[in-house]
Amino acid sequence: PLAEHETEEDEDENQDEDQDEDEEDTETFESDEYDYSVTFNASAWQVVNQLSEEDENGHPYEELQLGSEAAIVTFYALTTGAEDAEECLSGLVNFLEGIEGVDNADIEDEDGDDEDAVAVMEYEYTGEDDETTEWTATLRCQTIEEEESYLLTWYDNPTDLFEDDEDAREELLDGVEAG
């Protein structure tokens, strides 16, 4: 019985150590300009780019780009002319469709409301090297300040990795708070 008790304590210590390691691997980006934050697992995601400047109208514009083995995700915080998240999402979809080299862009799934709207799109991209790759993008617009500012998320996977990346995608997107 004593040995079992010691084993339970050892298991508790190991669980505490695992929890501490998980907490140590978590990073949070908090915007200086807008009311949003992104919490992510730093052992799975690396900051690729971070930018904060003013747009042509003098409004703050922020970009945070994270990369993993299976995906690249970019968060854009900006002031738009959109009335709500659905209109913002429509603009993001149109932007993707208008990128040079993008073909066969199709919305596979769409959901949302005035505050938070999401679309999953599949598309082909042909680069300058004339190589065509298939991508699946999860596009999301979240209201930061009603009828003014939004957090746009562009989560891009090679299509063949999209399903395998579902847990990582959900974990990252669950760590986003806006407004």
Side-chain angles (χ1 to χ4, degrees):
L2 184 56
E4 289 177 17
H5 179 68
E6 290 173 1
T7 302
E8 288 176 18
E9 285 179 9
D10 290 342
E11 287 177 12
D12 289 343
E13 283 180 26
N14 289 340
Q15 287 176 347
D16 289 344
E17 288 174 13
D18 289 344
Q19 255 183 338
D20 290 343
E21 286 177 20
D22 288 344
E23 289 173 13
E24 291 173 359
D25 289 343
T26 300
E27 288 188 26
T28 300
F29 169 83
E30 292 186 11
S31 171
D32 292 332
E33 299 293 335
Y34 291 103
D35 183 18
Y36 81 95
S37 66
V38 178
T39 300
F40 60 95
N41 179 339
S43 62
W45 294 95
Q46 295 74 43
V47 175
V48 176
N49 188 33
Q50 188 174 343
L51 174 70
S52 182
E53 59 186 24
E54 287 186 358
D55 67 14
E56 63 275 358
N57 296 317
H59 298 117
Y61 169 84
E62 291 183 343
E63 181 179 315
L64 173 66
Q65 190 172 61
L66 304 175
S68 73
E69 290 182 17
I72 190 142
V73 60
T74 307
F75 300 94
Y76 305 94
L78 60 139
T79 300
T80 72
E83 290 184 24
D84 58 31
E86 290 175 318
E87 185 177 327
C88 171
L89 180 63
S90 177
L92 187 55
V93 166
N94 289 337
F95 178 79
L96 184 149
E97 292 173 330
I99 294 174
E100 186 175 334
V102 169
D103 289 308
N104 302 320
D106 293 311
I107 295 176
E108 300 297 315
D109 192 19
E110 193 171 13
D111 191 23
D113 55 34
D114 292 352
E115 299 295 315
D116 190 353
V118 179
V120 176
M121 293 187 70
E122 289 186 357
Y123 66 97
E124 295 176 351
Y125 177 75
T126 304
E128 292 179 9
D129 59 0
D130 289 330
E131 188 174 321
T132 300
T133 53
E134 294 181 358
W135 292 87
T136 301
T138 302
L139 306 175
R140 182 180 189 186
C141 282
Q142 293 170 274
T143 301
I144 296 174
E145 190 173 327
E146 193 172 324
E147 294 187 24
E148 187 172 317
S149 57
Y150 297 89
L151 179 63
L152 289 65
T153 304
W154 185 321
Y155 192 115
D156 234 349
N157 288 103
T159 298
D160 61 343
L161 298 177
F162 182 77
E163 286 185 28
D164 293 340
D165 197 46
E166 182 175 4
D167 291 342
R169 184 173 46 257
E170 286 181 12
E171 179 184 10
L172 181 64
L173 296 179
D174 286 347
V176 176
E177 294 188 23

